[in-house]
């Protein structure tokens, strides 16, 4: 369907590729947890699709929490992380798995880890569907990465451009705009 002026998106990582990788990550996370329960913390909004698929591939008892953060306007990180929703549960003594859609500069992750460590969890591990190593300027290490990608803007499977395209079942990249009539 043509929609003049609208961003044109091409498939970058297909839903089949994503499903296969998510299953691998789930197995790896389950092995590493050695039967211990996890508190899986999804970072809203972008991680909600990935988290929903990932938790169904993890084979240890778990509970699910969400935190909301915002740092992006359009395709640029503002570098200024804001908490829009805090955790509802106490994570003291818990094994936490932080789930992100994408780590770009890593500033969001550094900020969140500093914030959560103060609450004294037993451990915190990081899992992200996508990572842009060329853009990283972070202190934290990422424990589980779905796919490493170049320094380009992607949408779909939870990721948005100004609130749009989160519902796409694949990860896509913007290749331009549909021509105006
Ligand atoms: P960071 O703090 O620079 O690592 O930015 C992390 C956040 O920026 C992610 O949680 C996303 O919400 C957003 N972000 C970074 N790169 C992209 C992208 O390519 N598409 C959509 N959102 C992105
Ligand atoms: Mg995000």
């Amino acid at each position: 369907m043509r929609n003049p002026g609208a961003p044109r998106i091409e498939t970058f990582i297909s839903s089949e590729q994503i499903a296969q990788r998510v299953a691998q990550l789930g197995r790896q996370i389950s092995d590493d947890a050695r039967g211990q329960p996890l508190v899986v913390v999804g970072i809203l909004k972008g991680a909600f699709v990935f988290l929903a698929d990932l938790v169904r591939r993890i084979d240890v008892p778990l509970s699910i929490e969400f935190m909301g953060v915002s740092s992006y306007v359009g395709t640029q990180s503002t570098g200024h992380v804001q908490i829009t929703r805090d955790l509802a549960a106490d994570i003291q003594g818990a094994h936490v798995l932080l789930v992100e859609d994408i780590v770009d500069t890593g500033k969001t992750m550094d900020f969140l880890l500093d914030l959560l460590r103060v609450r004294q969890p037993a451990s915190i591990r990081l899992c992200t569907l996508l990572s842009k190593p060329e853009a990283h300027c972070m202190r934290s290490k990422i424990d589980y990465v779905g796919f490493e990608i170049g320094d380009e803007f992607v949408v779909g499977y939870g990721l948005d451009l100004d609130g749009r395209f989160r519902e796409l079942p694949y990860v896509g990249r913007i290749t331009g705009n549909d021509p105006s009539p």
Side-chain angles (χ1 to χ4, degrees):
M1 193 174 63
R2 284 196 70 248
N3 185 0
R8 195 185 293 150
I9 295 166
E10 70 173 24
T11 305
F12 180 36
I13 308 172
S14 71
S15 44
E16 292 77 16
Q17 285 173 292
I18 296 170
Q20 204 173 41
R21 187 70 188 118
V22 169
Q24 288 171 346
L25 289 172
R27 279 194 294 272
Q28 203 182 338
I29 290 165
S30 307
D31 287 350
D32 292 349
R34 297 165 186 272
Q36 302 232 51
L38 292 176
V39 178
V40 181
V41 175
I43 308 306
L44 294 173
K45 297 174 187 170
F48 82 105
V49 178
F50 176 42
L51 180 135
D53 285 343
L54 183 66
V55 290
R56 285 178 283 180
R57 297 295 189 161
I58 297 179
D59 193 19
V60 295
L62 59 84
S63 60
I64 298 171
E65 296 291 330
F66 289 103
M67 266 183 102
V69 299
S70 103
S71 67
Y72 256 64
V73 176
T75 61
Q76 289 303 310
S77 175
T78 60
H80 209 88
V81 187
Q82 267 185 313
I83 300 291
T84 56
R85 181 193 194 281
D86 201 351
L87 289 178
D90 184 6
I91 55 164
Q92 186 170 10
H95 293 285
V96 173
L97 179 71
L98 210 51
V99 178
E100 253 288 29
D101 51 357
I102 187 162
V103 176
D104 182 10
T105 62
K107 286 177 190 163
T108 306
M109 271 302 163
D110 279 345
F111 177 86
L112 281 173
L113 284 166
D114 289 345
L115 187 89
L116 295 180
R117 284 209 182 95
V118 175
R119 302 180 187 181
Q120 299 179 314
S123 67
I124 308 188
R125 287 198 164 126
L126 288 188
C127 177
T128 184
L129 177 72
L130 303 171
S131 171
K132 300 182 187 175
E134 290 163 35
H136 287 183
C137 55
M138 61 197 290
R139 290 172 273 121
S140 320
K141 85 170 201 324
I142 312 173
D143 301 281
Y144 309 100
V145 176
F147 302 90
E148 288 191 342
I149 65 171
D151 190 5
E152 60 183 320
F153 199 81
V154 293
V155 295
Y157 198 71
L159 292 122
D160 73 309
L161 171 62
D162 284 336
R164 295 185 51 206
F165 310 117
R166 294 192 197 275
E167 71 282 14
L168 297 177
Y170 53 87
V171 173
R173 63 178 148 210
I174 295 165
T175 57
N177 293 305
D178 273 351
S180 300

